[in-house]
């Protein structure tokens, strides 16, 4: 609003100047006393217009910078609050461009809109000024208005389209670059640096073409206006000159008419303002999907105090891209017990792990913790009661200790070390250059060591439910056995849901849920399920013979044969 007020003030000063200048000239030519008052008015208008333009520049820059920050914060907040699968719909390179250049361009929209309004106000006011001063001169000017309107309309439409195309291609380049950086080791091992360089730079030709289209749009608008405006100017001044010769206009009114006509033909300012608005609008449309990412809803429900984490999954369906990942999954994990999730690759194990802790919501069915539907509980409360450890954990924080403590309500140093000991991480952490204070980026960690730090992060705040999504796959058998013993110490106090690929892990669990093609094929003790050759084939990484049928004693509490 401040920018708009200053813009309007500057436009009003510019519109008042021709009238004041014309009156001043007529009084000077009238032969009387020098019209110092009118000269002072002209000077004041010049100063006021200059001050208004300066204020617009300062206020507009500050506002755009603050709005850019706000848009980035909102977009980042949406990304981190929404379901991970929705955030994953945007590639890293695409997100980089949307949160940087696109957010900056979109933040300029309010200032651009104010500038466009005042840019239109000047020609309209100029036309009114010409009409008030001399009707016939205004009529001559109106002959050139339709071509000007058509020119502005085409310019605005074409600018928005070419800007959107440019931003999309820019996102493709950024995405490919991010992929190459992330997979640099693979590129080097494959000896495909040249091919990868070619793949990344391939869209640059298209990007250059969009850039040339932008200049052609601007060039066409400037070229047409450079022909149209001189012709229109000559017509207006010719009619005004004839009116002066006929005695219908004074010299001062001729100056007023010419100045108003110049304002009315300010096509350059209008095209620039409309072009900036079109670019901001295109950027806003690209940023819009990120800002529209839905947050998980809730009804303010509270988990009962003292609960041990009984997990109940009822009739859960999950579909992605038209493919059913989970179908009518029903199971119950008593509080304080452990359940292993096993199945061949693609059977839905990680999807079930994500649904169980509300990293994503099912398309049908419900998930409850201690009798309370997780959909009804505020996400921040869920995160305090459900801990995760992943196969490839990302370590956040400045130091190794920060990486273990990362999350809501960080634990103290003692709890961090205790969690590291339980995850078999304390030994190698102490050997690092600065121990727990070693910066993460300077810590030479193997994949298994990263997994152990991820486990330590989960152990540091187990809550009611601890979910390990293939979180021990990088550990050797002896280390995994020690970690499993540490998990067993949570028996009776914390429910554990463990995605398992090793028979030894499944054997240590109280019960096992066996998934196949997104459905529950059986639930029971590991030794019961082991009698089925199809179940044994899961741990061999091979399909069982088609004729293999699950035994009745593998159905368990699922309640029906598959």
């Amino acid at each position: 609003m401040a920018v708009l007020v200053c813009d309007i003030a500057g436009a009003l000063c510019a519109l008042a100047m021709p009238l004041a200048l014309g009156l001043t000239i007529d009084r000077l030519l009238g032969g009387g006393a020098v019209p110092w008052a009118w000269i002072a008015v002209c000077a004041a208008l010049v100063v006021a217009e200059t001050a208004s333009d300066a204020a617009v520049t300062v206020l507009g820059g500050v506002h755009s910078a603050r709005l850019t920050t706000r848009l980035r914060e909102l977009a980042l907040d949406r990304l981190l609050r929404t379901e991970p699968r929705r955030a994953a719909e945007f590639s890293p390179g695409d997100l980089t461009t949307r949160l940087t250049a696109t957010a900056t361009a979109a933040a300029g929209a309010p200032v651009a809109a104010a500038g466009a309004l005042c840019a239109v106000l000047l020609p309209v006011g100029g036309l009114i000024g010409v009409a008030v001063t001399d009707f016939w001169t205004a009529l001559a000017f109106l002959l050139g208005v339709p071509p000007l309107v058509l020119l502005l309309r085409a310019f605005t439409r074409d600018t928005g389209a070419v800007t959107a195309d440019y931003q999309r291609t820019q996102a493709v380049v950024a995405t490919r670059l991010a992929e190459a950086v992330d997979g640099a080791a693979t590129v080097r091992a494959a000896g495909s640096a040249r091919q990868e360089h070619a793949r990344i730079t391939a869209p640059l030709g298209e990007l250059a073409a969009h850039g040339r289209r932008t200049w052609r749009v601007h060039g066409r608008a400037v070229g047409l206006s450079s022909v149209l405006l001189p012709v229109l100017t000559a017509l207006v001044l010719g009619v005004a000159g004839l009116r002066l010769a006929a005695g219908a206009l004074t010299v001062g009114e001729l100056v007023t008419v010419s100045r108003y006509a110049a304002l009315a033909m300010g096509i350059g300012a209008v095209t620039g303002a409309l072009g900036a608005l079109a670019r901001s609008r295109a950027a806003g449309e690209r940023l819009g999907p990120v800002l529209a990412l839905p947050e998980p809803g809730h009804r303010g429900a509270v988990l009962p105090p003292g609960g041990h984490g009984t997990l109940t999954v009822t009739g859960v369906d999950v579909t992605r891209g038209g493919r059913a990942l989970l179908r009518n999954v029903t199971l119950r994990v008593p509080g304080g017990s452990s359940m292993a999730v096993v199945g061949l690759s693609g059977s839905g194990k990680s999807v079930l792990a994500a649904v169980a802790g509300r990293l994503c919501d099912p398309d049908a069915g419900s998930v409850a913790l201690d009798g309370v539907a997780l959909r009804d509980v505020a996400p921040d409360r869920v995160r305090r009661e459900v801990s995760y450890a992943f196969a490839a954990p990302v370590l956040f924080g400045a130091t190794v200790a920060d990486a273990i403590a990362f999350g809501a309500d960080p634990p103290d140093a003692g709890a961090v070390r205790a969690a590291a000991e339980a995850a078999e991480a304390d030994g190698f952490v102490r050997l690092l250059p600065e121990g727990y204070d070693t910066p993460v980026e300077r810590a030479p960690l193997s994949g298994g060591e990263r997994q152990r730090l991820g486990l330590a992060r989960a152990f540091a705040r187990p809550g009611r439910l601890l979910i390990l999504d293939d979180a021990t796959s990088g550990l050797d058998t002896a280390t995994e056995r020690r970690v499993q013993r540490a998990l067993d110490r949570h028996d009776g106090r914390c429910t554990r849901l463990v995605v398992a690929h090793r028979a030894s892990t499944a054997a240590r669990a109280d019960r096992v849920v066996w998934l196949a093609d997104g459905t529950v094929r059986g639930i029971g003790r590991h030794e019961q399920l082991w009698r089925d050759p199809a179940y044994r084939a899961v741990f061999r990484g091979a399909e069982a013979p088609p004729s293999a049928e699950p035994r009745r004693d593998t159905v368990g509490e699922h309640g029906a044969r598959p």
Side-chain angles (χ1 to χ4, degrees):
M1 290 303 297
V3 170
L4 181 61
V5 168
C6 292
D7 250 334
I8 292 175
L12 293 177
C13 291
L15 291 172
M17 176 59 74
L19 178 61
L21 189 60
L23 292 172
T24 302
I25 290 174
D26 280 342
R27 279 164 175 71
L28 283 171
L29 296 177
V34 176
W36 292 110
W38 282 105
I39 292 174
V41 169
C42 291
L45 289 173
V46 170
V47 171
E49 184 180 358
T50 304
S52 296
D53 290 343
V56 167
T57 301
V58 174
L59 293 174
V62 170
H63 178 271
S64 296
R66 289 179 176 174
L67 186 54
T68 299
T69 301
R70 181 61 178 155
L71 286 176
R72 288 172 177 166
E73 288 175 345
L74 285 173
L76 185 60
D77 184 67
R78 289 287 184 174
L79 278 168
L80 297 180
R81 286 182 181 275
T82 195
E83 292 182 23
R85 67 178 181 88
R86 295 187 182 275
E89 293 173 0
F90 302 92
S91 65
D94 186 21
L95 279 177
T96 299
T97 59
R98 291 183 195 236
L99 293 178
T100 52
T102 301
T104 301
V111 174
L117 177 63
C118 292
V120 173
L121 180 61
L122 284 174
V124 172
L127 178 58
I128 294 173
V130 172
V132 170
T133 306
D134 185 66
F135 172 76
W136 293 104
T137 306
L139 189 61
F141 178 82
L142 286 174
L143 294 175
V145 170
L148 283 174
V149 172
L150 292 175
L151 178 61
L152 289 175
R153 183 171 176 233
F155 173 78
T156 304
R157 182 188 64 243
D158 294 345
T159 298
V162 73
T163 299
D165 292 339
Y166 188 94
Q167 291 172 347
R168 279 193 291 270
T169 306
Q170 192 179 43
V172 171
V173 176
T175 297
R176 294 183 180 182
L177 179 60
E179 291 171 351
V181 171
D182 192 46
T186 302
V187 172
R188 184 169 183 177
S192 58
R194 284 186 182 276
Q195 295 92 319
E196 196 62 20
H197 180 274
R199 187 180 76 92
I200 295 169
T201 57
L204 293 182
E206 185 181 350
L207 199 65
H210 294 323
R212 288 192 293 272
R213 280 179 57 204
T214 301
W215 287 112
R216 281 198 297 270
V217 169
H218 282 269
R220 187 164 56 246
V222 172
L224 291 174
S225 65
S226 66
V227 173
L228 180 60
L229 293 181
V231 172
L232 188 55
T233 301
L235 178 62
V236 170
L237 292 180
V239 172
L242 292 175
R243 298 285 289 165
L244 175 65
L249 290 178
T250 65
V251 174
E253 289 172 335
L254 176 62
V255 172
T256 299
V257 166
S258 65
R259 292 295 299 270
Y260 276 134
L263 291 176
M265 289 182 285
I267 185 70
V270 175
T271 54
L274 292 180
L277 186 58
R279 289 189 293 273
S280 295
R281 180 179 178 181
E285 289 174 351
R286 276 189 54 76
L287 193 62
V290 182
L291 297 176
L293 287 171
E295 294 186 37
H298 64 90
R299 298 180 180 177
V302 179
L303 295 172
H308 294 300
T310 298
L311 177 66
T312 307
V313 179
T314 308
V316 162
D317 292 342
V318 175
T319 303
R320 298 289 182 266
R323 178 190 171 199
L325 303 182
L326 292 178
R327 291 176 292 175
N328 194 30
V329 172
T330 297
L331 57 90
R332 181 177 180 274
V333 188
S337 68
S338 62
M339 175 172 279
V341 183
V342 305
L344 294 172
S345 178
S347 60
K349 302 185 295 297
S350 291
V351 179
L352 176 59
V355 168
R358 209 193 176 190
L359 287 185
C360 70
D361 287 326
D363 298 305
S366 65
V367 179
L369 190 61
D370 285 329
V372 180
L374 288 183
R375 281 183 182 269
D376 297 339
V377 183
D380 58 336
R381 291 181 178 271
V382 174
R383 298 281 71 86
R384 287 181 172 86
E385 297 293 346
V386 180
S387 294
Y388 271 93
F390 302 100
V394 178
L395 303 179
F396 294 97
T399 66
V400 172
D402 293 338
I404 297 174
F406 180 78
D409 303 325
D412 57 30
V416 165
R417 283 171 171 75
E421 290 174 358
E424 293 293 316
D426 181 70
F428 73 80
V429 170
R430 290 183 181 276
L431 295 176
L432 293 174
E434 299 175 53
Y436 284 88
D437 295 327
T438 303
V440 173
E441 65 272 12
R442 285 168 43 197
L445 301 173
S446 67
E449 289 169 341
R450 282 183 172 272
Q451 274 197 347
R452 280 183 269 176
L453 290 179
L455 284 165
R457 182 170 60 197
F459 288 167
R461 52 177 68 73
R464 303 178 190 223
L465 177 61
L466 178 60
I467 300 175
L468 307 186
D469 185 3
D470 201 18
T472 61
S473 59
L475 306 185
D476 60 79
T477 304
T479 302
E480 184 187 25
R481 188 176 294 112
R482 291 194 293 271
V483 170
Q484 289 293 339
R485 283 200 291 267
L487 275 172
D488 292 342
R489 288 197 288 272
H490 293 284
D491 194 41
R493 296 182 292 110
C494 171
T495 305
R496 288 93 66 208
L497 188 69
V498 183
V499 174
H501 287 86
R502 294 176 178 172
S504 58
T505 304
R508 295 187 71 90
D510 295 317
R511 307 201 76 184
V512 176
V513 56
W514 172 20
L515 297 180
D517 296 325
T519 61
V520 175
R521 190 162 181 178
I523 296 179
R525 295 279 302 175
H526 173 71
E527 55 269 23
Q528 294 174 317
L529 297 172
W530 189 258
R531 301 169 189 165
D532 193 318
Y535 178 79
R536 295 196 298 271
V538 170
F539 300 98
R540 292 199 305 267
E543 292 284 356
S547 60
E549 290 288 339
R551 299 170 60 90
R552 286 187 179 274
D553 59 2
T554 68
V555 175
E557 66 186 36
H558 189 245
R561 289 179 60 81

